[in-house]
Structures are given as C-alpha cells and as structure tokens.
Amino acid sequence: AVVSGKGGVGKSTVTSMLAVAMQRKGKRVGVLDADITGPSAPKAFGVSECQGATEEGLYPALSETGIQVMSINLLLDDPNSPVVWRGPVIAGAVKQFWTDVIWEDVDYMFVDMPPGTGDVPLTVFQSFPVDGVVLVTSPQNLVSMIVGKAVNMAKMMHKPIVGFVENYSYVECPDCGKRIQVFGESGLDEISQKENIPILARLPIDPKVAAYYDGGMMELCDTTHVSGVVDAILK
C-alpha cells in the first residue's frame, strides 16, 4: 500500500515509479488505483479501457510493458466525470477492485491509496492482504504531524511499514549540479529516528517525470531514485 497522510505529495507518481521499477526486475506487477475521487493511474500508463469482462469478473487494463491497471476512470464513459459518491460506496468499489477483477499471476501489487485515514484506507487494510506500507511525504514542517497519523494508522492495523519516500526533496541545478531545498530543510530524519522507520528514497522535483506522467509514458521514466524502495520490498 502506498500511503500518505495528506494530498499533493506525489503519491500516485511514486506508485507508478515503483510499479515500473518492479516490472524491470522481471516481476509481474499490478496497480490498483484506490483513489476513487481522484484517479490518475490510467493517465500515468496511457491506458483508457479494461481488457474486457467475463462471467468470472473484469480484466484490468494492460500497459505497454504488461503492467495490469485497475481504476474507476477505466469504467467511466467520460474520464472527466466526477465520482460523487459517499464514503461507504467508494470503499465498496475499492473492495470490488480486489474481489471482482481478474488479476493475472501478479507478483507485486501496488495500491495507490487516497490521502488520509478514512473509509478507503480502512477497507484496504482490513480486506486486502497488505504485506507492507510505503509512506510518501514531502519536506514541509506541517507534514510531520500528518506523517505521524499515517504511521499510527499502519501500526493500529498491524501492517509493517517498509519505509519513507520523501518527494519534492530538492531541485538539482542543471548547470552546476547543486541541490536546492525548495521547501526548506526536511524534518523527516527526526521522525525516521523516532519511529525507527528508514528513509528509502529522497526524490527530486523533476520536470521530466511530470512530462512522462502527463504523457502516459511512465514506463520510460528513470526509476533509479526508487531502487532502494524496490530492494526493501523484495526483502
């Protein structure tokens, strides 16, 4: 499960990067987009419809390199249509993405979670066989409190935390290579030590990644920065 305590930290980008990196390791990978009201997985992988359906269930979309993707946007007539549902209905849909979708021999599935600690995270933690949690955060001071909530929820649900990924950690100057901390000095090291949870990656702000994501070409993205996360998951 790829989790964040708040929105806007690039959780979906991290999810797609991890899926691509794991696929490059020769594993069969699935991405379950559990963010029903803000789905973005189809855009990242350039898919627009499922493979089809039988009496047994629904087949997920398949990306260029064979990553299986399931998202509410694959089922809407217009991907720009808002999903105006109450919490229990949303949670039920996410559960069906697990029970009613025919995932084919998936070795590793990444669940792109909505932000916060509401109905959907609760449903995923209670209904899915979650083996680990990757916590995505950003350097702002506000985040430390939010991260604490996400950590405590994972602990309450008895799910092991693989580690932290800090996104938007810095910008690298293209001319001199100097790293500039746009959001100031990170407080994640302190939280990492306090909670005894490792920081597995610090991701830069990179326009290339944004371009790949917006163009549905995340499978061309350089995933070197998340290699430590993949190694930790494979352990």
Side-chain angles (χ1 to χ4, degrees):
V2 183
V3 173
S4 69
K6 65 184 289 295
V9 297
K11 179 172 37 56
S12 297
T13 303
V14 172
T15 301
S16 59
M17 288 179 76
L18 289 174
V20 171
M22 189 65 80
Q23 180 88 343
R24 289 174 183 169
K25 290 277 189 181
K27 307 297 183 183
R28 292 178 65 89
V29 177
V31 173
L32 191 156
D33 189 352
D35 194 352
I36 299 293
T37 57
S40 57
K43 185 175 184 63
F45 291 100
V47 295
S48 57
E49 57 185 27
C50 296
Q51 296 178 80
T54 66
E55 290 182 359
E56 283 76 34
L58 186 66
Y59 286 89
L62 208 59
S63 75
E64 285 285 335
T65 64
I67 294 174
Q68 298 173 53
V69 181
M70 189 62 217
S71 170
I72 193 69
N73 256 17
L74 298 172
L75 305 176
L76 301 175
D77 292 332
D78 180 358
N80 293 317
S81 297
V83 177
V84 188
W85 297 347
R86 295 192 182 276
V89 180
I90 291 173
V94 170
K95 192 172 181 179
Q96 280 187 287
F97 284 174
W98 173 248
T99 58
D100 296 357
V101 172
I102 302 171
W103 299 96
E104 298 179 279
D105 300 322
V106 168
D107 298 314
Y108 289 90
M109 179 178 291
F110 294 94
V111 182
D112 185 4
M113 302 272 262
T117 55
D119 284 336
V120 170
L122 195 59
T123 295
V124 170
F125 284 145
Q126 289 181 332
S127 305
F128 293 23
V130 176
D131 293 319
V133 175
V134 174
L135 279 167
V136 183
T137 181
S138 60
Q140 296 101 315
N141 287 332
L142 163 71
V143 173
S144 60
M145 176 187 70
I146 306 296
V147 167
K149 292 179 183 291
V151 168
N152 288 330
M153 182 176 191
K155 289 180 177 178
M156 285 172 63
M157 303 306 295
H158 306 292
K159 302 300 179 185
I161 299 171
V162 179
F164 290 119
V165 174
E166 184 178 79
N167 199 19
Y168 310 132
S169 191
Y170 59 91
V171 169
E172 191 168 291
C173 175
D175 297 321
C176 68
K178 181 181 178 181
R179 292 186 175 186
I180 304 162
Q181 295 176 314
V182 178
F183 294 109
E185 193 172 337
S186 170
L188 189 59
D189 293 280
E190 187 180 337
I191 301 170
S192 172
Q193 291 175 3
K194 179 185 174 184
E195 299 288 352
N196 195 28
I197 297 170
I199 301 171
L200 300 174
R202 295 185 189 270
L203 309 185
I205 300 171
D206 188 347
K208 289 181 183 177
V209 174
Y212 282 135
Y213 198 103
D214 290 343
M217 299 183 295
M218 278 303 287
E219 285 154 304
L220 300 178
C221 183
D222 181 2
T223 58
T224 306
H225 289 295
V226 296
S227 58
V229 190
V230 172
D231 291 342
I233 293 169
L234 288 170
K235 288 179 183 177

